[in-house]
Amino acid sequence: MAIDYRKQIVASALKYVGTQEPKGDDQFITAYNKYANAKFGVDSTPWCAIFVTFNARMVGVPTTIIPNFASCGWVIENFFKPKGLWKERGQYTPQPGDLIFYDWNADKRTDHVGIVVGVENGKVLTVEGNTKGTNGVYGVWQKSYVLNSRYILGYGTPDYAGSSTSAVSNQSQLSTMVKGTYVVSLKKWLNSTYKTNVAVNSSVNAELKKALIMGWQCQMNASYKTKLAIDGSFGPACRAAASKRTLKQKTSGRMVYLLQGCLYAHGYDPKGFDGSFGPGCLAAVKAFQRARKLEVDGVVGVKTWESLLTKW
């Protein structure tokens, strides 16, 4: 079954609604610098196009469908128009996953870009980065405009159907960039939560593996009073503690953060690093269990924890 990139890029962008400057945008610019080999400053760079690119890469949209771009004008003139994928305002009804470009001062040049969420009651609904919210703060916000608004320049219509990639749900299909972005977030979280002092980079290395076990041991002690040694080694005492306690869907908290971090480090996508064991996390756990020839029940017990923490 083909991947529904339209649905996925919209869902990805919506997850970041409410992210605000001055620090919330750093994650998008930092990730863009990594996968586009760029050097934009996190404190001074307009990031609406970067936000679009970020979400495309996060859900695995190939660069042949949406390229890396930090300039709205560049992508129109050098990508969408030459490929016949540009639609003027008034000549087209936008679809979810299309890119919407704006011209604030009517000079026929684009000033801003967002992602189309849908059309409703004669309005196009969008999610945009680097835009002002109702609170006056720039960030990621949802917007709406009448379809014939003079501020809309037109639409980039990515050829999502042109990808021959097939979906292998939640298998180890994360791109290096996406996996690396979450590994960086995981390391920052481990350091701030458990003082692990792991070097913050995108590498899944021995230092991270030890830090994950130490974080797990710390959290088992805090949550369940297990009195485990914080030594970064998953031994008999850890197995005994894990055998008596499981994680299941609809749970939340730091143990779930650790679970999601482990899944990302192994290349599985739990659909967020948010401490909430939702449907995406359940699917990723089951995919991991299936690949490791464990019981595929979506319940994280001793065998799943041991495989996540020690078998790389």
Side-chain angles (χ1 to χ4, degrees):
M1 180 176 65
I3 297 174
D4 188 349
Y5 283 130
R6 289 187 178 276
K7 182 178 180 180
Q8 290 194 13
I9 194 171
V10 170
S12 176
L14 287 172
K15 288 195 305 185
Y16 294 97
V17 170
T19 302
Q20 300 182 33
E21 293 185 358
K23 294 297 183 181
D25 58 315
D26 292 5
Q27 61 186 311
F28 311 126
I29 300 170
T30 299
Y32 183 90
N33 284 342
K34 182 181 301 180
Y35 52 74
N37 194 28
K39 296 181 179 179
F40 291 111
V42 295
D43 296 323
S44 58
T45 301
W47 51 278
C48 59
I50 286 173
F51 179 70
V52 172
T53 304
F54 173 88
N55 285 286
R57 301 293 84 82
M58 290 300 282
V59 299
V61 175
T63 55
T64 54
I65 295 177
I66 297 178
N68 297 329
F69 72 103
S71 166
C72 302
W74 178 90
V75 79
I76 293 173
E77 298 301 326
N78 294 279
F79 187 83
F80 288 119
K81 283 186 175 180
K83 291 179 177 291
L85 299 173
W86 174 254
K87 305 294 184 183
E88 299 287 343
R89 168 176 53 86
Q91 301 176 4
Y92 171 73
T93 300
Q95 304 297 310
D98 284 346
L99 308 189
I100 181 170
F101 293 84
Y102 303 93
D103 175 11
W104 303 133
N105 52 10
D107 63 359
K108 303 297 183 181
R109 293 190 292 185
T110 186
D111 302 299
H112 183 63
V113 62
I115 298 172
V116 174
V117 173
V119 173
E120 186 177 293
N121 299 324
K123 292 185 176 182
V124 56
L125 312 180
T126 70
V127 59
E128 303 165 22
N130 197 29
T131 191
K132 187 182 288 187
T134 55
N135 60 357
V137 178
Y138 278 82
V140 180
W141 303 109
Q142 290 185 262
K143 297 290 184 75
S144 65
Y145 309 81
V146 294
L147 284 169
N148 63 351
S149 169
R150 66 182 181 87
Y151 296 117
I152 299 173
L153 182 64
Y155 303 93
T157 60
D159 183 18
Y160 293 114
S163 172
S164 61
T165 305
S166 295
V168 182
S169 179
N170 286 294
Q171 298 293 333
S172 300
Q173 299 295 312
L174 290 176
S175 70
T176 300
M177 183 284 297
V178 175
K179 179 178 175 180
T181 298
Y182 277 108
V183 168
V184 168
S185 296
L186 169 61
K187 289 181 176 181
K188 289 180 178 179
W189 181 80
L190 287 169
N191 286 344
S192 65
T193 307
Y194 303 111
K195 311 302 181 186
T196 52
N197 295 317
V198 62
V200 177
N201 52 47
S202 60
S203 297
V204 177
N205 50 25
E207 186 182 22
L208 172 61
K209 296 168 188 177
K210 183 175 181 178
L212 278 168
I213 295 174
M214 292 176 67
W216 183 86
Q217 290 167 330
C218 286
Q219 197 56 51
M220 289 292 286
N221 289 348
S223 297
Y224 306 116
K225 304 186 186 306
T226 50
K227 299 181 180 180
L228 296 172
I230 312 302
D231 59 7
S233 177
F234 195 93
C238 293
R239 294 186 189 92
S243 67
K244 299 175 182 178
R245 299 162 181 88
T246 59
L247 281 184
K248 299 180 180 180
Q249 190 180 14
K250 297 184 180 180
T251 56
S252 60
R254 289 182 176 178
M255 291 302 295
V256 180
Y257 271 108
L258 286 163
L259 169 62
Q260 292 171 325
C262 285
L263 288 165
Y264 275 120
H266 280 281
Y268 292 79
D269 186 3
K271 303 300 182 184
F273 185 57
D274 56 7
S276 179
F277 198 143
C281 189
L282 176 65
V285 169
K286 287 184 175 180
F288 178 84
Q289 290 173 328
R290 187 176 298 110
R292 296 300 176 92
K293 302 188 185 306
L294 303 172
E295 182 180 359
V296 183
D297 58 2
V299 177
V300 184
V302 58
K303 291 183 179 180
T304 301
W305 274 125
E306 184 170 15
S307 191
L308 283 165
L309 292 167
T310 69
K311 298 178 182 180
W312 298 85

